[in-house]
Amino acid sequence: MSTRSTISKKAAITDPDQGPAPGRKRMTVPDFMARKGGEPLVCLTSYTAHVAHICDDVCDLLLVGDSLGMVIHGMPNTLGVTLEHMIMHGQAVVRGADKTLVVVDMPFGSFEESQEVAFRNASRVVKETGCHAVKLEGGVEMAPTIRYLSRRGIPVMAHVGLMPQSMNTMGGFKAVRDEALWDRVIEDAKAVEAAGAFAVVIEGVAAPLADRITEEVSIPTIGIGASARCDGQILVFEDMVGLMPRVPTFVKRYGTMEEMMRAAVGQYAQEVRDRSFPGDEHTYKKK
Ligand code: KIV
């Protein structure tokens, strides 16, 4: 890849403190909230500056999800992700995006212990990355923490339904389909709304449950494996472009990046072996 990245065309990569390039307005938390019931909110995960740059023109929100543990670092789940991982990738995404709202996930173990610990870690994420909000998993039990953070200047996106950080207590990644479990998820969504979350991710629930929550809460609902009637949708970028081998039911592949990359690597290997690369046009001439 060229070291003179196209990202630099949009100033933000060099200095996030300068704000959006002229003529570009950054989506704010109030702008995002105002879209409740309106034009669907387009959200994707992003972990790197270049992907953030690619998504920035068309997305409303980029989430630096802790799914980066599995997608980028090859972990079996998200439990091993650290605050340092989130900060490093958060910095990269903030450098690459000057229009979208950038939200960074709080990793497992960084917010559950107490409201004070949550504030200490979340404020570190905001200070060190320049992101605009954090996301944390949990409903009723995390509502006091969400209230504590949002009243102290840190907007919080909540996450209910299937919560990957609770995989050990839930017995795996299990979608909430059984109607007997719906009330708990509705209670969770209402609790985070009342606590001041500016939006809520609803993951892995039966579509009618997501529809009910979307109707009953006043904040935007962002679905993943939920329902087309949510106020917005989010997918993991690498799932969506076809870079991950596993395709869960809720993922639609909009691209075939893995095949393209395999073909490119294969051709490169062949050309190195038969010495057709580098060609004349890729070598420096004598002065
Ligand atoms: O970590 C993540 O990527 C997420 C999204 C799937 C919502 O939480």
Side-chain angles (χ1 to χ4, degrees):
M1 192 176 110
S2 161
T3 49
R4 265 169 265 160
S5 166
T6 52
I7 295 171
S8 58
K9 283 186 190 153
K10 262 195 339 194
I13 193 72
T14 51
D15 187 358
D17 291 343
Q18 286 181 357
R24 290 171 72 83
K25 185 185 172 301
R26 169 88 71 186
M27 167 76 78
T28 65
V29 165
D31 295 337
F32 195 86
M33 295 181 82
R35 293 268 293 274
K36 171 78 189 174
E39 186 193 340
L41 289 151
V42 180
C43 314
L44 276 174
T45 63
S46 175
Y47 318 122
T48 62
H50 200 74
V51 167
H53 179 75
I54 290 169
C55 300
D56 196 36
D57 280 335
V58 297
C59 286
D60 297 305
L61 178 147
L62 289 178
L63 171 69
V64 186
D66 64 351
S67 50
L68 65 82
M70 299 161 84
V71 176
I72 302 289
H73 296 277
M75 296 177 181
N77 52 54
T78 57
L79 301 179
V81 176
T82 65
L83 206 57
E84 282 65 33
H85 287 128
M86 299 313 302
I87 289 172
M88 187 182 72
H89 289 281
Q91 288 169 338
V93 170
V94 169
R95 284 186 206 115
D98 70 354
K99 182 179 149 284
T100 49
L101 188 69
V102 178
V103 179
V104 175
D105 240 344
M106 296 300 292
F108 178 65
S110 69
F111 62 95
E112 303 88 335
E113 189 180 338
S114 69
Q115 297 166 12
E116 290 78 10
V117 168
F119 185 80
R120 193 171 313 128
N121 288 329
S123 59
R124 217 188 124 196
V125 168
V126 171
K127 271 181 204 288
E128 293 183 30
T129 67
C131 73
H132 313 105
V134 298
K135 174 168 87 58
L136 56 86
E137 291 182 17
V140 172
E141 70 292 351
M142 280 303 142
T145 300
I146 293 172
R147 181 171 293 110
Y148 192 90
L149 298 186
S150 44
R151 290 211 176 148
R152 285 163 179 77
I154 303 181
V156 180
M157 184 177 213
H159 182 150
V160 302
L162 191 163
M163 294 180 273
Q165 291 177 10
S166 302
M167 59 165 295
N168 285 329
T169 41
M170 316 265 275
F173 298 121
K174 296 220 168 103
V176 184
R177 301 168 72 178
D178 183 349
E179 208 167 342
L181 304 172
W182 290 14
D183 281 352
R184 177 63 211 247
V185 185
I186 294 168
E187 251 180 71
D188 281 344
K190 290 189 173 171
V192 300
E193 172 199 25
F198 76 88
V200 57
V201 169
I202 307 177
E203 177 166 359
V205 305
L209 169 57
D211 293 345
R212 215 174 123 190
I213 296 171
T214 300
E215 272 163 33
E216 293 186 13
V217 301
S218 60
I219 53 175
T221 57
I222 306 300
I224 174 162
S227 162
R229 292 206 201 134
C230 287
D231 298 300
Q233 302 294 327
I234 188 161
L235 281 178
V236 168
F237 177 86
E238 284 74 1
D239 282 342
M240 195 256 317
V241 297
L243 252 181
M244 298 302 285
R246 208 180 133 254
V247 192
T249 312
F250 58 85
V251 170
K252 178 168 175 185
R253 276 197 164 166
Y254 289 86
T256 52
M257 287 296 291
E258 180 164 341
E259 280 143 54
M260 288 172 66
M261 286 165 86
R262 278 185 192 281
V265 172
Q267 189 175 346
Y268 167 71
Q270 187 188 318
E271 291 186 9
V272 168
R273 288 189 180 115
D274 68 18
R275 296 196 191 281
S276 57
F277 177 82
D280 263 6
E281 68 278 32
H282 305 115
T283 51
Y284 292 105
K285 308 293 170 279
K286 195 167 105 183
K287 254 195 184 161

